[in-house]
Amino acid sequence: MSVSVNALDHIVINVADVARTADWYRKILGMEVRVFDPGPGKTPRTSLVFGNQADHVAAGSDDLCFLTASTPDEVVAHLKANGVAIEEGPVAKQGARGTLRSVYCRDPDGSLIEISSYQDGAA
């Protein structure tokens, strides 16, 4: 069984000033700013939401989340079959449209890759 992605859920960008950047995206591109608490001891996260979705410092500094219709167990089996180390997961995480089931690995440059599916099956 192979795994294929069908959408991009979110992109994490590195910024110098979160409030300034969020305000720019809100004013200039009409995005909705949402702040959520990721849990005890963790810094609140700011999301910019638009439509149906939600500068690189160096190679390997990206954090990408891809959606798949495959189950987390299928993703794990696929990664293991291809010799890809699993960094974390399957775990429940906050996505752009609700709770995701996510498996984390790294691409060849070290960027964090999150392969996810929504718990309710929404793609």
Side-chain angles (χ1 to χ4, degrees), residues 22 25 28 33 38 65 71 76 78 90 95 100 110 112:
Y25 278 93
I28 304 304
V33 178
C65 177
T71 68
V76 167
H78 178 70
L100 294 169
L112 187 63

Side-chain angles (χ1 to χ4, degrees), residues 62-91:
D62 297 313
D63 179 337
L64 304 171
C65 177
F66 296 100
L67 295 176
T68 183
S70 300
T71 68
D73 289 340
E74 290 170 335
V75 171
V76 167
H78 178 70
L79 293 175
K80 286 182 177 179
N82 285 279
V84 176
I86 296 169
E87 188 133 323
E88 183 181 8
V91 294

Side-chain angles (χ1 to χ4, degrees), residues 18-31 33 48:
V18 173
R20 180 185 69 192
T21 300
D23 190 53
W24 187 91
Y25 278 93
R26 183 185 60 74
K27 285 181 181 176
I28 304 304
L29 298 179
M31 294 184 184
V33 178
L48 300 165

Side-chain angles (χ1 to χ4, degrees), residues 26-115:
R26 183 185 60 74
K27 285 181 181 176
I28 304 304
L29 298 179
M31 294 184 184
E32 177 187 347
V33 178
R34 292 186 192 165
V35 178
F36 64 93
D37 184 355
K42 296 186 179 180
T43 304
R45 305 273 309 260
T46 300
S47 297
L48 300 165
V49 182
F50 62 97
N52 290 326
Q53 311 289 342
D55 284 305
H56 307 286
V57 176
S61 66
D62 297 313
D63 179 337
L64 304 171
C65 177
F66 296 100
L67 295 176
T68 183
S70 300
T71 68
D73 289 340
E74 290 170 335
V75 171
V76 167
H78 178 70
L79 293 175
K80 286 182 177 179
N82 285 279
V84 176
I86 296 169
E87 188 133 323
E88 183 181 8
V91 294
K93 294 289 183 171
Q94 179 64 41
R97 293 176 285 160
T99 302
L100 294 169
R101 295 168 297 164
S102 299
V103 178
Y104 291 85
C105 61
R106 299 253 174 208
D107 75 4
D109 286 315
S111 289
L112 187 63
I113 304 298
E114 180 180 355
I115 305 170

